Amino acid sequence: MNFNLDRITRENVKGLSPYSSARDEYVSDGSMMVFLDANENPFENGVNRYPDPQQRALKTIVAEQKGIKCENILLGNGSDEVLDLLFRAFCEPKEDNIITLPPTYGMYKVLSGINVVENREVLLTDEYQPNVSAIKEQINSNTKLLFICSPNNPTGNSFSKERIQELLESFNGLVVIDEAYIDFSLEESWTSKLAKYPNLIVTQTLSKAYGMAGIRLGICIASAEIISVLNKIKPPYNVNQLTQERALNRVLDQKSVQTEVATILAERKKLITTLETVSFVSNIYPTDANFILVKVDDATKRYNQLLEKRIVVRNRTTQPLCENTLRFTVGTSEENSKIITALKTLSNSYGK
Ligand SMILES: *Cc1c(COP(=O)(O)O)cnc(C)c1O
């Protein structure tokens, strides 16, 4: 594998330099200053100043916790913004292509459409693992990004390390490993392999295990060289002040996060035990995430029956390799009791 960041970066992006905001030019030494540089309203209300465009306080803690450096991190308005930046930095519209592995997260395809970049879909195997030889066949010199979601949404499983490693070692574009659900998994994050693979990008988020979907905070972890390309094109104030503050408080409170994750995992186990007894469930797929994919007799019928009982789950039946599947997110103990009762009632009237 011969990875060359310059080769895969868009020509127009190579020539850009990041927008330099008033707050970028002046770096605080901690002493009291009078700020008359950014045309802000001077009356303090907590958000009257522009936020730190580089989110230094938050990045410092995140870097320390993940054993990396601030220069290896880019933060975004959700991982969705991070993923969009990857398209805009590396994929020439109407020329380049990306590879995705359905059934998987829908945003890769949406972003390929928005950015006019061909999406080459290579189905997972029947065991929901990457089909490495089929992926290699699809790669050409215009293939810039390969999206690997592990643990995968909506299937829930983690991909084989050996297969991911083989792709990292053979593909000379960027391998984006989406670890949105990594905090529910016992698998090690690929961030530990950053030094080994210059073409590796890991994305994480505060939207799932950290319980902060509402503040929109996505994390991109990669080599300092890749991060500086992304810094050239990111909107200067893409992570707002309130998000930076709430995220900082949350990442500092690892104990609460871990307690919630442990509770969710215990609830997941309880839900699986019930699903095993449900007459119309024919398969419960292995999961490393906070949701469970199950195969049922008739997904749309069961989806509607649950809806009548005021419970919304995700019907995945139209996804490839997911015919008649439903995806259940693990809720609180109370919420799970409701779905357990509903499933048992429906199970008892099976065939009637
Ligand atoms: C939920 C999810 C995300 C999170 O996206 P945000 O924009 O950070 O909320 C990213 N990737 C996958 C696979 C997801 O399921």
Side-chain angles (χ1 to χ4, degrees):
M1 195 269 297
N2 198 352
F3 178 72
N4 181 341
L5 184 60
D6 223 41
R7 180 191 77 81
I8 67 153
T9 305
R10 285 173 68 188
E11 267 327 305
N12 69 312
V13 172
K14 282 186 210 167
L16 297 175
S17 39
Y19 171 79
S20 184
S21 70
R23 279 305 114 81
D24 275 313
E25 282 168 16
Y26 172 76
V27 179
S28 169
D29 63 358
S31 62
M32 277 292 282
M33 302 296 292
V34 177
F35 285 108
L36 304 175
D37 58 344
N39 301 346
E40 297 149 334
N41 176 326
F43 298 103
E44 289 295 336
N45 62 17
V47 290
N48 60 311
R49 299 291 176 185
Y50 279 101
D52 176 1
Q54 280 302 324
Q55 312 96 20
R56 292 176 188 87
L58 179 55
K59 271 189 199 162
T60 303
I61 302 299
V62 171
E64 192 183 297
Q65 291 178 344
K66 298 189 187 297
I68 52 180
K69 292 186 182 152
C70 291
E71 65 187 28
N72 298 118
I73 303 177
L74 177 123
L75 301 177
N77 185 13
S79 357
D80 290 345
E81 183 188 33
V82 167
L83 299 171
D84 186 53
L85 290 175
L86 295 178
F87 277 90
R88 293 202 283 132
F90 301 111
C91 301
E92 201 60 55
K94 300 182 188 175
E95 246 173 65
D96 289 336
N97 66 74
I98 61 153
I99 294 178
T100 60
L101 315 179
T104 193
Y105 187 47
M107 274 310 282
Y108 316 135
K109 186 179 193 166
V110 169
L111 290 168
S112 74
I114 292 170
N115 289 289
V116 207
V117 172
E118 182 195 351
N119 175 27
R120 299 189 167 189
E121 300 189 311
V122 181
L123 282 192
L124 295 176
T125 65
D126 290 338
E127 294 76 41
Y128 293 150
Q129 289 292 331
N131 185 338
V132 175
S133 56
I135 293 168
K136 284 182 179 173
E137 275 173 33
Q138 286 301 315
I139 293 172
N140 68 7
S141 58
N142 285 108
T143 307
K144 297 297 187 71
L145 307 171
L146 165 61
F147 287 95
I148 293 181
C149 185
S150 182
N152 187 39
N153 179 8
T155 60
N157 64 303
S158 300
F159 292 160
S160 128
K161 267 189 202 133
E162 291 71 26
R163 289 185 196 219
I164 295 179
Q165 198 168 315
E166 193 178 339
L167 291 165
L168 277 163
E169 282 168 7
S170 59
F171 177 44
N172 62 10
L174 292 163
V175 177
V176 184
I177 306 186
D178 185 338
E179 293 187 336
Y181 299 97
I182 192 71
D183 305 291
F184 297 107
S185 161
L186 296 175
E187 301 280 330
E188 187 186 23
S189 166
W190 283 88
T191 53
S192 62
K193 300 289 189 302
L194 273 190
K196 189 165 175 197
Y197 300 112
N199 59 337
L200 169 63
I201 295 180
V202 176
T203 63
Q204 298 180 353
T205 176
L206 294 204
S207 294
K208 307 287 156 64
Y210 282 79
M212 306 228 104
I215 69 170
R216 314 304 301 128
L217 198 282
I219 307 172
C220 178
I221 301 160
S223 72
E225 291 74 23
I226 293 173
I227 296 298
S228 46
V229 173
L230 298 175
N231 268 323
K232 288 185 183 185
I233 62 165
K234 90 170 183 71
Y237 304 113
N238 61 329
V239 181
N240 73 70
Q241 180 68 29
L242 300 175
T243 294
Q244 292 190 38
E245 288 169 11
R246 288 291 295 266
L248 182 60
N249 288 337
R250 187 63 166 166
V251 298
L252 285 171
D253 188 9
Q254 285 295 319
K255 212 174 143 209
S256 299
V257 176
Q258 276 161 25
T259 305
E260 288 178 12
V261 167
T263 307
I264 290 166
L265 294 183
E267 286 295 324
R268 184 180 77 186
K269 201 170 163 190
K270 223 168 73 185
L271 198 49
I272 289 173
T273 307
T274 299
L275 287 165
E276 282 166 349
T277 70
V278 174
S279 52
F280 55 82
V281 169
S282 57
N283 203 353
I284 304 164
Y285 296 92
T287 178
D288 276 335
N290 64 331
F291 57 82
I292 308 160
L293 189 75
V294 299
K295 201 177 225 14
V296 297
D297 55 347
D298 181 339
T300 304
K301 172 179 154 188
R302 300 306 176 185
Y303 172 85
N304 286 323
Q305 285 176 331
L306 289 169
L307 210 52
E308 275 169 33
K309 295 179 184 295
R310 324 297 295 162
I311 298 170
V312 190
V313 299
R314 193 91 158 116
N315 184 355
R316 295 284 73 186
T317 192
T318 59
Q319 298 296 300
L321 308 176
C322 292
E323 196 186 347
N324 282 319
T325 59
L326 296 175
R327 192 190 67 192
F328 296 83
T329 304
V330 179
T332 63
S333 172
E334 275 170 12
E335 290 169 333
N336 295 331
S337 297
K338 283 185 190 157
I339 193 157
I340 286 170
T341 305
L343 287 168
K344 283 184 174 163
T345 308
L346 293 174
S347 178
N348 288 336
S349 54
Y350 184 51
K352 286 179 199 156

